[in-house]
Amino acid sequence: MTPTTTLPAAAPRLDRLGNRALHYLALSAIGLITVYPFWWTLVTALSGDGEVFAFPPPLLPTAPTLAHFGEAISSIDILAFYRNSLAITALTVAGTLLVSALAAYPLARMRFPGRRLVFGAILATMILPSEVNFLVNFITVSKLQLTDSYSGVVLPTLAGAVGIFLMKQAFEAVPQDLIDAARVDGASEWQIFWRIMLPLARPALAALTILTTVSAWNQYIWPSIVMSSPDKFPLSVGVLYLAGAFSFKTRVVAAGAVLTVLPILIVFLFTQRYFLRGFDGAVK
């Protein structure tokens, strides 16, 4: 009797272990593919000799050195570029949170004609590449005389479909009874939005903050179009001076790329749990 009772129970357990092993194997493969470009750039920047484009590429730096990072820092005003990137990122994050929350609240909690049509039109913009808007945005920024300024870089990026969608889902997760009780107590719509909805939507705000920070920090094409003064360039644009002045020094260019990516990578590693928690409401 013992073999007949244990075998059927063991088979599902083995299936679960096999499925879990396949999941981890697939995730590990995706992780390696994702991380490898950055790892290759880091190894190239740290290597003191050897072929840059050797095949197979080295997994560890040969004769490690930090000289290329020192040369990159001394070749360009990297601190000024960092300040510009920080200013643009901070303005973009603050504006995106404000615009997304203000747009999402009426879509989530108010009833008005065309509400679904408006939300559908907002979501439809997600299928369009951002480059489609460059011409219209540049003409608008030029007419407003905002070219070569932080405002010209920041303003066209504030209203995004992802942020509005994320905040709308977070606001819809708030119980209606709580809002009705606040209205019975005499709270205005602004008080409900500011004192009830925003505090309860903090995980979504945190996720949107991280997502916007990564996107704003890595912007390249739009700032390079709008801005013409090198002293106002963000780091992603300014680091290309290394490629222009030292096109034959691939390791110096790689060091500049690492200096560009490293800060935002560290921020994401320490805040990823808030990022994932904020998307729970959107998935539900």
Side-chain angles (χ1 to χ4, degrees):
M1 294 298 293
T2 303
T4 58
T5 56
T6 56
L7 286 177
R13 183 179 180 183
L14 291 175
D15 290 339
R16 289 195 298 269
L17 291 176
N19 291 334
R20 183 175 298 179
L22 289 176
H23 290 162
Y24 280 116
L25 183 62
L27 291 174
S28 299
I30 295 172
L32 289 174
I33 295 172
T34 304
V35 171
Y36 181 75
F38 176 76
W39 180 254
W40 179 88
T41 306
L42 180 61
V43 170
T44 301
L46 291 174
S47 297
D49 54 21
E51 292 291 334
V52 175
F53 300 106
F55 187 83
L59 296 179
L60 295 175
T62 56
T65 177
L66 296 175
H68 304 301
F69 289 93
E71 187 172 352
I73 293 173
S74 62
S75 301
I76 60 176
D77 192 358
I78 197 166
L79 292 180
F81 293 146
Y82 266 118
R83 287 195 298 268
N84 295 335
S85 290
L86 288 173
I88 291 173
T89 301
L91 292 173
T92 302
V93 169
T96 299
L97 292 179
L98 179 62
V99 171
S100 299
L102 290 175
Y105 179 67
L107 291 172
R109 288 302 182 180
M110 296 181 181
R111 299 293 181 264
F112 56 88
R115 181 174 64 94
R116 293 187 178 181
L117 180 61
V118 171
F119 184 60
I122 293 173
L123 291 183
T125 62
M126 297 177 66
I127 66 176
L128 298 175
S130 59
E131 292 78 7
V132 173
N133 302 321
F134 282 173
L135 179 59
V136 175
N137 288 339
F138 183 77
I139 294 174
T140 304
V141 169
S142 299
K143 295 294 184 182
L144 295 175
Q145 298 182 354
L146 296 177
T147 54
D148 199 22
S149 66
Y150 292 162
S151 300
V153 176
V154 172
L155 288 178
T157 64
L158 298 185
V162 175
I164 295 174
F165 172 76
L166 184 62
M167 294 307 303
K168 178 178 180 294
Q169 297 301 108
F171 289 154
E172 287 181 342
V174 177
Q176 183 63 38
D177 293 342
L178 185 62
I179 300 174
D180 293 338
R183 286 173 177 161
V184 170
D185 290 338
S188 64
E189 291 295 334
W190 175 253
Q191 290 174 326
I192 293 173
F193 170 77
W194 184 255
R195 297 184 179 180
I196 297 177
M197 304 300 284
L198 286 183
L200 293 177
R202 279 181 293 184
L205 289 171
L208 183 57
T209 298
I210 299 168
L211 193 66
T212 306
T213 300
V214 174
S215 176
W217 185 272
N218 293 327
Q219 278 194 99
Y220 164 69
I221 299 179
W222 179 242
S224 63
I225 292 174
V226 176
M227 290 190 167
S228 57
S229 300
D231 59 332
K232 297 181 180 179
F233 284 168
L235 185 60
S236 58
V237 179
V239 77
L240 288 184
Y241 277 106
L242 294 173
F246 302 97
S247 57
F248 59 96
K249 293 187 177 181
T250 307
R251 300 191 191 280
V252 178
V253 178
V258 172
L259 292 173
T260 303
V261 176
L262 197 58
I264 202 65
L265 181 63
I266 294 174
V267 169
F268 183 77
L269 288 177
F270 282 99
T271 57
Q272 59 178 327
R273 58 177 179 176
Y274 303 105
F275 179 77
L276 297 176
R277 187 185 305 171
F279 271 97
D280 287 343
V283 173
K284 292 178 182 178

